[in-house]
Structure formats: C-alpha cells, structure tokens
Amino acid sequence: MKIAVIGQSLFGQEVYCHLKKEGHEVVGVFTIPDKDGKADPLGLEAEKDEVPVFKFSRWRVRGQALPEVVAQYQALGAELNVLPFCSQFIPMEVINAPRHGSIIYHPSLLPRHRGASAINWTLIHGDKKGGFTIFWADDGLDTGDLLLQKECEVLPDDTVSTLYNRFLFPEGIKGMVQAVRLIAEGRAPRLPQPEEGATYEGIQKKETAKISWDQPAEAIHNWIRGNDKVPGAWTEACGQKLTFFNSTLNTSGLVPEGEALPIPGAHRPGVVTKAGLILFGNDDRMLLVKNIQLEDGKMIPASHFFKGAAGDALELTEEELVTAEAMRSVWQRILPNVLKVEDSTDFFKSGAASVDVVRLVEEVKELCDGLELENEDIYMATTFGDFIQLLVRKLRGEDDDNEQVIDYVEKSVNKLTLQMPHQLFIGGKFVDAEDAKTYDTINPADGSVISQVSLAQVADVDKAVAAAKDAFENGLWGKINARDRGRLLYRLADLMEQHQEELATIEALDAGAVYTLALKTHVGMSIQTFRYFAGWCDKIQGSTIPINQARPNRNLTFTKKEPIGVCGIVIPWNYPLMMLSWKTAACLAAGNTVVIKPAQVTPLTALKFAELTVKAGIPKGVINILPGSGALVGQRLSDHPDVRKIGFTGSTEVGKHIMKSCALSNVKKISLELGGKSPLIIFADCDLNKAVQMGMSSVFFNKGENCIAAGRLFIEDSIHDQFVQKVVEEVKKMKIGNPLDRDTNHGPQNHQAHLKKLLEYCQRGVKEGATLVCGGNQVPRPGFFFEPTVLTDVKDDMFIAKEESFGPIMIISRFADGDVDTVLSRANATEFGLASGVFTRDINKALYVSDKLQAGTVFINTYNKTDVAAPFGGFKQSGFGKDLGEAALNEYLRIKTVTFEY
C-alpha cells in the first residue's frame, strides 16, 4: 500500500522502518518542525531514504484546514494514513482522504483513558491492566472504531517510562505493523467503541500534579509514579517545591529511622533514611521515594536530601579524560545550538528532549563498551560536569545510587556495635530464603544463639547461579578491563581492613576464634589475599607458540587464558573468612563470578563480607552467598549445569562425593583441599626449644582446627622424654577462656558435635593403648571447650595414628636414633599428603627428608608458615589443585588456543 506516516519521535521512526521492511511504499512523512536546530528522528530517517518529508508547523487555522497544506498532502496519493504518535491536530480533510482512511495508536485500552495523558492516568488510577489500542480515526477525541488492542499487566512499581519501554513501545510497533497488514489483507475489523466504562482525563501538567496527602499510601504512590517523569508529582517542604520520583510500596525490612522532613498537609512527617525518603499515607502505611528533584532542577538521591552537595569531585585518569572529551563531542552533536559544551552546560536547559535522553544512553553504550545507563541517570546529572562524574563512577564500579537496605542483627560486643547481615546474598541484595526458612547460629563460647540466619533451599541456589551467570555473560564484570577489576579488589581489601576489628569480633563470636589470632590470621591474611590477587588481575596472559608453517603460507598461534564462568565455592568452618578469601580472591581475579556456600555453623563473616562487596562497588550478581546445608546447597552447586567449577575445602569423604557429582553433571573443573594427617619429624640435632615452641603451634594453633595441623609427631628417641616434658609444661601455661579476652590462648571448639568427636577420639586412643599425658576432657564451663591434650606411646596401627582429630590433640610417636629412612617410611604411610615438617640443624638431612616426604607443603625448622604468594594444596587423598600464589589462578582459568593462517 501507499502510506503516509504522520507523527514524530523514535516510536514514529520505528513504525516507519518496519512498514518499509514489510514492503509498503511510504509516499510521504509528516512530522513536526525542527526544534533548536534538531530534526525529529522520524524525519531524519525518512530523509535518509529520500522519502518526501513535510514539517508543517500547523495544519489548520481557526478550525479550518490550510488549503496549501491539504494540497501538498493530496498530491502524494496515499491509500492509508498511519499515525503512530502525533501531537498535532490533523484536519478531517486529511484523515478521510485515503481510501482506507487513517489509523491511530493510543497507549490505553479504549474507551478507558481517552486523552493525551493516557499512560499517566493508567498508573494514577492504579489499573492492574494496561495496554494500547489501534483505532480508526474519526472527528472525536479517541472515539473511533477499534481495530486492534493488546493488554499487559501493570506492575506495582511501573512508571510511565517502564510501562512504555517494557510493553507499549516494542509491542506497539508490532501492533501498528500488524494493523496495516490486516488492512492490506482486507481483514481489519471496525468495532464501535462502547461508551460503558469510557473515561476522559485532561493533560497532566506541573500545576495539576501537586500531591494530595489525605489519601492512602497506595494512592500517593500511584500519583507519584503516574507523574514520573513528566510532569513530576510535587509538594512543598523546607521552603521549596520538591518533586518526587522512583516511588515504591516495597518497604519490607525498612525502619522509619532518620531525619524528619515536615511536609505541610501530610499525615506524618517524611523520614530521610539510607534507603530514601519514607512517606506515609493517611492509613499509616509507608511508601519509599528514591529520588527528589529540587526547585532549581537538580535531581538528587532522596537519601542525600539533608547531606547537601555531593562529595569531592573525582580526579580523572588520562584514560578517563579521553572518555570525557569523547563524551563532550557527543553532547555537542546532540546540542547543536550550544557553541561550546562547558562543564556547566545543562543538558535540558540547552534544548534536549526525552528523545535525546534515549540517544545519549545509546551513545554511552557504544562509547563505553556496553555500559548501560538508565534514563533516570541523565535526569540525576543534568550538567556536563555532573554527568561525567556520574559516568566515571559507574565505569569504576563506584555507583551507589541503590544503597543497600540491610536487616541487621545488632550486638554490642568487644566495645563495638556489630551490625551483622543474616539473610542470603543473591544478585547484590540480601533476601530471605525460599519459604523464609531460617536456623540458629550458635556462639561456641557459651552455647547461646547469636542470631537466626536464612537457610538456603534448592530454589535459592538456582536463583544465585542465574544471577552469577547473568553477571558473567551480560553484566559489567565481564566488560570492564582487567586493571579495573583489580582496582575493585584492592578497594574491597581496603574496606576489609577498615572493618577488620568488626570482622575479627564476628569470627570470635561465630567460630570461637581467639580474637587476637582472628585479627592477625583469619582477617589479616584474608586482606593480604585480596591485595595479592588484585595485583594479578592485569598480569594474566597467554603466549605465542611457533608451530609448523603451512608453506607457502604462514601461521600464528597464541593462547588466551579466559575465565571459566560461574564457580561454586564450598568452604569449611575452621577459618570461615580466610578460606573464603583464599578461593574467592583468585576466582574473581581471573574474571569469574561465584556462588559461595559458607559452612552452616559459621555463616556470619561471609555475610558481612557480602555487605563490603556492595560498598566496594563489585557489580551485582558477581558474588552470591548462601548459608545452608552441604547436602542441599553444596549438592545442588555440584549438580547444577550452569556451574563450571567447584572449589571445595573439607573432608575427603565429602570431597569424593562432590567429585563424583561434578563428573556426572557436566564434567565440572574441580579443586579439592581435603583431610590431612601431617607428619612432623623432630630430630635430636634440632634447636629443642624452638622445636617445642613450633611443635605446640603445629598442633594447638587455632584450637587444633587447622587443616595442616601436625597430625602426628615423630620424636627421635634420645630427646623424646625431654620434648614431652617441655610440651606438658607449656600446655599448663595456656589460658583457656573467652576468645575475646586479650590474654586467652585457647578458645572453644567450633561446635558441639565436633567437641563430642574429640572426646570419643581420645577415649579410643587410650583404649587402644596410647598414654594420656594431659588433657582429654571437656572443660567444666559453659560452651564447647576442650582441654589441650597430649597422647604418647602411639603405635602405627592405632586409629589415632592414622586418622586426624582436627582438634587440640598432640599425637606423639618415637623413632630410633639415626633411623632416617624408617621414620620417613612411617611418615609417608598414610593416604593423606597435605603438609609435613622437619626440625634439624643438618641442612643435608633437611633437604633429603623434604625430598622424600609425600606432601604438598614441607616446613623446615618452622610450621604453619603459609603466605599468600606460596601455593598451597595436597597430594594423594588430601586433594589436588592449589590455593594461593600464581598457581591458584590456573584453577579458575581455561586456556584457549587460536591459530591464524596468512
């Protein structure tokens, strides 16, 4: 058909393009005159196709059609007029001229909401259903016969923009094309509009958009969102006109605590909180407003209302300055009437319209590697200087426009007020578990309940994996360069350091860790780990490889190291934060996203860590944390088809099960740090005092809850008795007590079930013939305290000689003087091979023994000396794969080989 398109905007442009693709001949386009030197998108598109474009400022005068305008239109011979979006009054001489008449798009389900502000009124009235109508034009106002209608659900927090962008724009374009197709095929209906249910509402203007406060919260919310963005619902407060945007009734978990904002006529004063401005209806229900426009036009986060101006301006790097100048050129193209774009140039005061907002968002996406701004971001930063600051913050991952709302458990402990998240962390938000399931996490120092924690279910695992997958495949994390990724990890390490006392206190509460040790090791090494791997981010590289040339052509082969994708990390309860850090830092440095399952009995530092990742600017979905049972959460991660790697620290038995699940599901890559029975050989020629000191540390460090703890000490005959005597003397000096006391050496075991196992372990050793020199009992006080224990005369065939206790139990066996090879044979006679140690002054003996010991780590004249730069992992049934050091990165990378021929 020959079609005349009459309208404007991106919507008109898209309808025009789709009609052309359908094979119709567009004989002319009628649009609005240029504004501030800028042509409308519909006209621009038609001019590219050399379709005649007419820009009449008006079609009629005093109700009469202009003859010259009608004549130009009639000369085109259109068979159908298509009006996708038209703000001008078109005379009936034009409407009725084509043989098929004229069809118009209207963004409501007619006859409801006739008039120019139909979308606004759909929201203001709280309609549950919205949609659009394509109707045959007549001489009434949106009263013509119906041709086609499509409806959609109106979501509780929809605004004019979201409803338009989600449904009315994309589906409306399809609807217009479908309507034209029906007309061309002779199947287009003409259904008279019913008058029943018909409404007409006037155009929403700023002066009519003032909020009436004497109504329920839902009605106020509907009024605000129905006027968002144009014209903007407003009220008077603090001596100025305030316009509210981004309203929601989702106030779950919000507490109206903050600074009061008196509002004349309101049922109660508003409250400015970290989440935004809380308002109240006359039913006392709350609604939340996230953005406020001040009277001078500046848009601010509502949470910042009493904070005044934003913080110091960012200092831009050279690369960011280049981006800023490129963006200045973009502004110059969009604002051709501005001679020079300065930092003070205001986007809207310089003539930009809503269509230019869309264009600017698209220009940013193209210029900044897919960075997606919201239209709202442009309204929040209207001057060029403010816009560049906002853009750079987003590029750096520092965007904090959605400040996290967290339902904390608060406790005053250790001269601190702890704020501890207790919900699951999925997609950048703290949320309840499926069916709101929870469990109690226990303080091992006294057996009391610290808090209830959300208990993840299978559905929660699926949500977390989906969030991680989306963040990996579509989010900013996969698009930023490696150096920026490192900068985010450095910032996370800095935040962990700023909160180190809080983290160490939580570790003491939840895991029973001695506070001073938690500060140095549990938390201190976690910080070091993130800093170390942050430095690796931009040093992960492949290589070029010479291969046989395909003569007479040539070849180039190179390798790339790429992230794997979504990784699952399952961590133990002995070092909750440190084990999380060892694996997660390497995983993130490699560019992966992660779902972390902390041990069910020690979830709290992991959840506090999650909060810090938000503050650090780690993009949503990159890190997800699910407290819950291994049988449910760990199993689902192992089975999940979208998880490509599992990193696990725990028992050998569970490790084998995970390995099987990973094989059967999708052949996941896997690294395992499993059980140990680490031998420590102490020769008579050692520094005995140091050997006693380090031997004590090798067993009793962190209450013996240490994966590399010396599970068995072999003492040379000639010093055996003296060594045991000195150890017992030192054990008696150890102070057992509250892990938060600064002079405590030995805190409670992690949980009650573990305490019970230690008691049974000692009883079995004594029953088999070992000598209990000291300890072996529960300490008679509240909590899960176990005495540091020493067992001697341990024979090779005893249970306690072969199985680890994972507690403060020193297992001592003697060996004949000078019999190096025999003691080595005994030390290696285990299926475990995590760590080992030797004390001797003889360097040749030390090197010989270190060569022969079958363990992933060998300590010589020291013990427990791990470092973030040194790879850590076991042999045999202690697992495979490495944590820490450069080697750890390879656990979270895959190598791709690329070959060119030229």
Side-chain angles (χ1 to χ4, degrees), residues 154-170:
V154 178
L155 302 179
D157 288 341
D158 263 333
T159 63
V160 173
S161 296
T162 62
L163 184 57
Y164 182 73
N165 293 333
R166 188 181 77 250
F167 184 83
L168 298 176
F169 181 88

Side-chain angles (χ1 to χ4, degrees), residues 512-525:
V514 172
Y515 174 74
T516 50
L517 177 66
L519 203 57
K520 177 183 181 294
T521 302
H522 291 234
V523 178
M525 195 172 187

Side-chain angles (χ1 to χ4, degrees), residues 486 489-498 500 523-537 539 581 585 589 868:
L489 295 186
Y490 275 123
R491 186 179 302 120
L492 177 56
D494 290 344
L495 282 165
M496 292 170 72
E497 188 169 53
Q498 291 170 25
Q500 62 183 332
V523 178
M525 195 172 187
S526 299
I527 295 165
Q528 293 173 27
T529 302
F530 272 98
R531 287 202 173 122
Y532 174 79
F533 283 108
W536 267 111
C537 287
K539 300 169 188 68
S581 301
V868 294

Side-chain angles (χ1 to χ4, degrees), residues 262-336:
I263 300 174
H267 181 65
R268 286 169 58 181
V271 182
V272 176
T273 71
K274 288 183 178 181
L277 172 62
I278 293 177
L279 301 171
F280 298 89
N282 62 10
D283 56 356
D284 270 331
R285 285 188 62 200
M286 298 190 298
L287 63 143
L288 179 70
V289 167
K290 296 181 181 178
N291 302 116
I292 297 176
Q293 187 176 39
L294 305 179
E295 196 159 9
D296 63 5
K298 184 176 180 60
M299 187 88 78
I300 63 169
S303 59
H304 294 182
F305 182 75
F306 289 116
K307 294 182 180 179
D312 295 336
L314 297 175
E315 184 175 340
L316 273 55
T317 65
E318 290 186 14
E319 185 179 350
E320 289 163 348
L321 286 170
V322 171
T323 300
E325 288 309 306
M327 195 51 63
R328 195 186 301 273
S329 299
V330 170
W331 275 50
Q332 195 73 65
R333 292 195 298 273
I334 295 175
L335 306 171

Side-chain angles (χ1 to χ4, degrees), residues 217 335 495 551 580 673 848:
L335 306 171
L495 282 165
R551 299 176 183 176
L580 178 153
E673 195 246 282
Y848 176 78

Side-chain angles (χ1 to χ4, degrees), residues 553-566:
N553 292 340
R554 299 176 65 82
N555 293 102
L556 170 65
T557 294
F558 64 87
T559 60
K560 297 170 63 181
K561 291 184 178 180
E562 299 178 340
I564 295 170
V566 179

Side-chain angles (χ1 to χ4, degrees), residues 312-422:
D312 295 336
L314 297 175
E315 184 175 340
L316 273 55
T317 65
E318 290 186 14
E319 185 179 350
E320 289 163 348
L321 286 170
V322 171
T323 300
E325 288 309 306
M327 195 51 63
R328 195 186 301 273
S329 299
V330 170
W331 275 50
Q332 195 73 65
R333 292 195 298 273
I334 295 175
L335 306 171
N337 56 319
V338 175
L339 294 177
K340 184 180 179 182
V341 173
E342 307 283 357
D343 283 357
S344 59
T345 300
D346 188 284
F347 192 64
F348 297 102
K349 291 178 181 177
S350 300
S354 58
V355 65
D356 300 306
V357 173
V358 177
R359 178 180 171 185
L360 182 54
V361 168
E362 291 302 311
E363 293 270 14
V364 168
K365 188 186 298 184
E366 187 172 331
L367 185 66
C368 300
D369 297 325
L371 176 66
E372 294 191 26
L373 295 184
E374 301 291 338
N375 291 2
E376 182 179 304
D377 293 323
I378 314 302
Y379 291 100
M380 293 283 285
T382 59
T383 67
F384 182 74
D386 288 345
F387 174 77
I388 291 299
Q389 290 284 307
L390 176 142
L391 181 65
V392 170
R393 288 186 191 280
K394 285 185 175 288
L395 287 170
R396 292 183 182 184
E398 296 177 1
D399 176 34
D400 63 349
D401 58 347
N402 286 319
E403 195 163 355
Q404 185 68 241
V405 179
I406 303 174
D407 182 20
Y408 292 113
V409 171
E410 290 196 2
K411 285 190 179 294
S412 295
V413 183
N414 201 22
K415 299 181 180 179
L416 298 170
T417 299
L418 299 180
Q419 291 187 314
M420 298 178 287
H422 62 96

Side-chain angles (χ1 to χ4, degrees), residues 46-351:
E47 286 171 352
K48 288 180 189 175
D49 298 333
E50 298 183 350
V51 171
V53 176
F54 303 87
K55 301 179 181 180
F56 302 136
S57 58
R58 54 186 178 176
W59 292 69
R60 59 186 188 175
V61 175
R62 296 173 185 168
Q64 299 297 313
L66 293 171
E68 64 274 20
V69 171
V70 174
Q72 289 185 66
Y73 164 79
Q74 289 176 334
L76 298 174
E79 298 172 304
L80 173 70
N81 291 332
V82 174
L83 285 71
F85 172 65
C86 182
S87 61
Q88 296 177 310
F89 285 101
I90 310 301
M92 293 306 297
E93 289 87 340
V94 173
I95 292 293
N96 294 328
R99 66 186 182 94
H100 290 300
S102 301
I103 59 171
I104 302 177
Y105 170 89
H106 186 79
S108 80
L109 297 173
L110 292 174
R112 189 163 174 78
H113 306 309
R114 293 169 176 166
S117 296
I119 312 176
N120 304 75
W121 289 102
T122 297
L123 298 170
I124 290 169
H125 284 285
D127 292 357
K128 303 302 180 187
K129 295 288 183 183
F132 63 84
T133 302
I134 297 167
F135 67 96
W136 299 96
D138 65 2
D139 57 357
L141 185 62
D142 303 330
T143 57
D145 292 345
L146 306 179
L147 191 162
L148 181 150
Q149 285 187 320
K150 289 189 179 181
E151 70 174 35
C152 69
E153 181 183 4
V154 178
L155 302 179
D157 288 341
D158 263 333
T159 63
V160 173
S161 296
T162 62
L163 184 57
Y164 182 73
N165 293 333
R166 188 181 77 250
F167 184 83
L168 298 176
F169 181 88
E171 295 302 320
I173 294 164
K174 296 176 188 175
M176 289 296 284
V177 174
Q178 181 183 353
V180 173
R181 191 181 301 134
L182 290 171
I183 294 169
E185 295 171 353
R187 298 189 298 115
R190 289 177 178 265
L191 306 174
Q193 281 194 42
E195 283 306 307
E196 183 180 351
T199 63
Y200 172 80
E201 295 95 1
I203 295 175
Q204 274 300 89
K205 298 179 180 179
K206 193 70 175 181
E207 58 267 26
T208 62
K210 187 175 182 180
I211 300 169
S212 169
W213 294 105
D214 190 21
Q215 52 185 336
E218 184 175 359
I220 296 172
H221 164 66
N222 287 336
W223 184 262
I224 293 172
R225 70 188 181 121
N227 287 282
D228 186 342
K229 288 286 189 283
V230 178
W234 60 276
T235 192
E236 291 174 344
C238 293
Q240 63 174 313
K241 184 183 288 185
L242 302 179
T243 306
F244 296 150
F245 299 98
N246 203 349
S247 168
T248 178
L249 289 172
N250 183 12
T251 57
S252 176
L254 279 182
V255 178
E257 294 179 355
E259 195 163 351
L261 175 64
I263 300 174
H267 181 65
R268 286 169 58 181
V271 182
V272 176
T273 71
K274 288 183 178 181
L277 172 62
I278 293 177
L279 301 171
F280 298 89
N282 62 10
D283 56 356
D284 270 331
R285 285 188 62 200
M286 298 190 298
L287 63 143
L288 179 70
V289 167
K290 296 181 181 178
N291 302 116
I292 297 176
Q293 187 176 39
L294 305 179
E295 196 159 9
D296 63 5
K298 184 176 180 60
M299 187 88 78
I300 63 169
S303 59
H304 294 182
F305 182 75
F306 289 116
K307 294 182 180 179
D312 295 336
L314 297 175
E315 184 175 340
L316 273 55
T317 65
E318 290 186 14
E319 185 179 350
E320 289 163 348
L321 286 170
V322 171
T323 300
E325 288 309 306
M327 195 51 63
R328 195 186 301 273
S329 299
V330 170
W331 275 50
Q332 195 73 65
R333 292 195 298 273
I334 295 175
L335 306 171
N337 56 319
V338 175
L339 294 177
K340 184 180 179 182
V341 173
E342 307 283 357
D343 283 357
S344 59
T345 300
D346 188 284
F347 192 64
F348 297 102
K349 291 178 181 177
S350 300

